[in-house]
mmCIF file of all heavy atoms in Angstrom:
data_model
loop_
_atom_site.group_PDB
_atom_site.id
_atom_site.type_symbol
_atom_site.label_atom_id
_atom_site.label_comp_id
_atom_site.label_asym_id
_atom_site.label_seq_id
_atom_site.Cartn_x
_atom_site.Cartn_y
_atom_site.Cartn_z
ATOM 1 N N ASN A 21 17.981 155.484 168.659
ATOM 2 C CA ASN A 21 18.680 155.807 167.425
ATOM 3 C C ASN A 21 20.021 155.072 167.345
ATOM 4 O O ASN A 21 20.407 154.583 166.285
ATOM 5 C CB ASN A 21 18.880 157.319 167.336
ATOM 6 C CG ASN A 21 19.169 157.768 165.928
ATOM 7 O OD1 ASN A 21 19.044 156.997 164.997
ATOM 8 N ND2 ASN A 21 19.577 159.017 165.792
ATOM 9 N N PRO A 28 22.167 147.014 161.809
ATOM 10 C CA PRO A 28 22.634 146.567 160.486
ATOM 11 C C PRO A 28 24.128 146.229 160.460
ATOM 12 O O PRO A 28 24.542 145.269 159.802
ATOM 13 C CB PRO A 28 22.330 147.752 159.572
ATOM 14 C CG PRO A 28 21.299 148.540 160.279
ATOM 15 C CD PRO A 28 21.532 148.320 161.733
ATOM 16 N N ILE A 30 25.956 145.078 162.965
ATOM 17 C CA ILE A 30 26.151 143.806 163.666
ATOM 18 C C ILE A 30 25.690 142.641 162.791
ATOM 19 O O ILE A 30 26.377 141.618 162.681
ATOM 20 C CB ILE A 30 25.409 143.825 165.019
ATOM 21 C CG1 ILE A 30 26.083 144.829 165.963
ATOM 22 C CG2 ILE A 30 25.368 142.443 165.641
ATOM 23 C CD1 ILE A 30 25.309 145.107 167.228
ATOM 24 N N GLY A 33 28.172 142.110 160.017
ATOM 25 C CA GLY A 33 29.389 141.530 160.578
ATOM 26 C C GLY A 33 29.228 140.049 160.846
ATOM 27 O O GLY A 33 30.124 139.247 160.553
ATOM 28 N N LEU A 34 28.084 139.648 161.408
ATOM 29 C CA LEU A 34 27.824 138.231 161.654
ATOM 30 C C LEU A 34 27.707 137.457 160.344
ATOM 31 O O LEU A 34 28.225 136.334 160.235
ATOM 32 C CB LEU A 34 26.546 138.058 162.479
ATOM 33 C CG LEU A 34 26.653 138.448 163.945
ATOM 34 C CD1 LEU A 34 25.275 138.398 164.607
ATOM 35 C CD2 LEU A 34 27.624 137.542 164.672
ATOM 36 N N TRP A 37 31.211 136.988 159.005
ATOM 37 C CA TRP A 37 31.914 135.988 159.806
ATOM 38 C C TRP A 37 31.463 134.582 159.425
ATOM 39 O O TRP A 37 32.293 133.671 159.283
ATOM 40 C CB TRP A 37 31.659 136.256 161.286
ATOM 41 C CG TRP A 37 32.212 135.204 162.187
ATOM 42 C CD1 TRP A 37 33.513 135.016 162.545
ATOM 43 C CD2 TRP A 37 31.476 134.158 162.822
ATOM 44 N NE1 TRP A 37 33.624 133.929 163.378
ATOM 45 C CE2 TRP A 37 32.392 133.391 163.577
ATOM 46 C CE3 TRP A 37 30.128 133.819 162.854
ATOM 47 C CZ2 TRP A 37 31.986 132.299 164.319
ATOM 48 C CZ3 TRP A 37 29.749 132.736 163.604
ATOM 49 C CH2 TRP A 37 30.670 131.984 164.330
ATOM 50 N N VAL A 39 30.138 133.547 156.547
ATOM 51 C CA VAL A 39 30.607 133.201 155.206
ATOM 52 C C VAL A 39 32.077 132.797 155.245
ATOM 53 O O VAL A 39 32.475 131.782 154.676
ATOM 54 C CB VAL A 39 30.365 134.366 154.225
ATOM 55 C CG1 VAL A 39 31.113 134.156 152.920
ATOM 56 C CG2 VAL A 39 28.881 134.545 153.958
ATOM 57 N N ASP A 47 37.373 124.556 152.898
ATOM 58 C CA ASP A 47 38.729 124.351 152.398
ATOM 59 C C ASP A 47 39.441 123.282 153.212
ATOM 60 O O ASP A 47 40.096 122.396 152.657
ATOM 61 C CB ASP A 47 39.498 125.666 152.452
ATOM 62 C CG ASP A 47 40.913 125.513 151.940
ATOM 63 O OD1 ASP A 47 41.076 125.089 150.775
ATOM 64 O OD2 ASP A 47 41.858 125.814 152.698
ATOM 65 N N THR A 49 38.084 120.840 154.936
ATOM 66 C CA THR A 49 37.477 119.546 154.641
ATOM 67 C C THR A 49 37.941 119.018 153.283
ATOM 68 O O THR A 49 38.245 117.827 153.141
ATOM 69 C CB THR A 49 35.948 119.663 154.665
ATOM 70 O OG1 THR A 49 35.549 120.184 155.939
ATOM 71 C CG2 THR A 49 35.273 118.330 154.433
ATOM 72 N N TYR A 54 41.154 115.307 150.075
ATOM 73 C CA TYR A 54 42.173 115.119 149.040
ATOM 74 C C TYR A 54 43.340 114.294 149.582
ATOM 75 O O TYR A 54 43.840 113.389 148.900
ATOM 76 C CB TYR A 54 42.674 116.471 148.547
ATOM 77 C CG TYR A 54 43.765 116.364 147.517
ATOM 78 C CD1 TYR A 54 43.472 116.109 146.184
ATOM 79 C CD2 TYR A 54 45.102 116.496 147.881
ATOM 80 C CE1 TYR A 54 44.465 115.993 145.241
ATOM 81 C CE2 TYR A 54 46.109 116.377 146.945
ATOM 82 C CZ TYR A 54 45.791 116.130 145.631
ATOM 83 O OH TYR A 54 46.784 116.012 144.699
ATOM 84 N N ALA A 65 49.057 102.047 144.384
ATOM 85 C CA ALA A 65 50.197 102.027 143.465
ATOM 86 C C ALA A 65 51.434 101.400 144.097
ATOM 87 O O ALA A 65 52.452 101.233 143.437
ATOM 88 C CB ALA A 65 50.513 103.443 143.007
ATOM 89 N N PRO A 68 55.168 104.417 149.100
ATOM 90 C CA PRO A 68 55.123 104.653 150.549
ATOM 91 C C PRO A 68 54.221 105.847 150.858
ATOM 92 O O PRO A 68 53.949 106.669 149.983
ATOM 93 C CB PRO A 68 56.582 104.955 150.903
ATOM 94 C CG PRO A 68 57.185 105.450 149.638
ATOM 95 C CD PRO A 68 56.480 104.733 148.538
ATOM 96 N N SER A 76 62.630 110.445 153.286
ATOM 97 C CA SER A 76 63.711 109.684 152.667
ATOM 98 C C SER A 76 64.251 110.370 151.423
ATOM 99 O O SER A 76 65.376 110.126 151.020
ATOM 100 C CB SER A 76 63.218 108.275 152.316
ATOM 101 O OG SER A 76 62.187 108.363 151.351
ATOM 102 N N ALA A 77 63.449 111.217 150.794
ATOM 103 C CA ALA A 77 63.892 111.876 149.562
ATOM 104 C C ALA A 77 64.829 113.040 149.841
ATOM 105 O O ALA A 77 65.572 113.464 148.966
ATOM 106 C CB ALA A 77 62.675 112.382 148.779
ATOM 107 N N PRO A 80 71.229 114.952 152.151
ATOM 108 C CA PRO A 80 71.988 115.963 152.891
ATOM 109 C C PRO A 80 72.419 117.086 151.954
ATOM 110 O O PRO A 80 72.760 116.855 150.791
ATOM 111 C CB PRO A 80 73.191 115.195 153.444
ATOM 112 C CG PRO A 80 73.193 113.872 152.761
ATOM 113 C CD PRO A 80 71.844 113.649 152.169
ATOM 114 N N PRO A 82 74.623 119.966 150.224
ATOM 115 C CA PRO A 82 76.058 120.037 149.938
ATOM 116 C C PRO A 82 76.737 121.064 150.843
ATOM 117 O O PRO A 82 76.092 121.921 151.445
ATOM 118 C CB PRO A 82 76.107 120.466 148.476
ATOM 119 C CG PRO A 82 74.794 121.117 148.219
ATOM 120 C CD PRO A 82 73.807 120.459 149.137
ATOM 121 N N PRO A 84 78.575 124.317 152.078
ATOM 122 C CA PRO A 84 78.386 125.687 151.615
ATOM 123 C C PRO A 84 79.585 126.147 150.777
ATOM 124 O O PRO A 84 80.715 125.724 150.990
ATOM 125 C CB PRO A 84 78.260 126.495 152.901
ATOM 126 C CG PRO A 84 78.828 125.628 153.973
ATOM 127 C CD PRO A 84 78.680 124.212 153.510
ATOM 128 N N PRO A 95 77.076 141.991 145.650
ATOM 129 C CA PRO A 95 76.009 142.737 144.973
ATOM 130 C C PRO A 95 75.179 143.570 145.943
ATOM 131 O O PRO A 95 74.527 144.523 145.532
ATOM 132 C CB PRO A 95 75.134 141.640 144.358
ATOM 133 C CG PRO A 95 75.903 140.374 144.454
ATOM 134 C CD PRO A 95 76.961 140.564 145.460
ATOM 135 N N PRO A 98 76.676 148.955 148.348
ATOM 136 C CA PRO A 98 76.443 150.096 147.435
ATOM 137 C C PRO A 98 77.712 150.395 146.626
ATOM 138 O O PRO A 98 78.825 150.106 147.047
ATOM 139 C CB PRO A 98 76.077 151.239 148.369
ATOM 140 C CG PRO A 98 76.614 150.843 149.696
ATOM 141 C CD PRO A 98 76.651 149.360 149.736
#
Side-chain angles (χ1 to χ4, degrees):
N21 199 10
I30 292 170
L34 287 173
W37 174 76
V39 167
D47 180 58
T49 304
Y54 178 81
S76 64

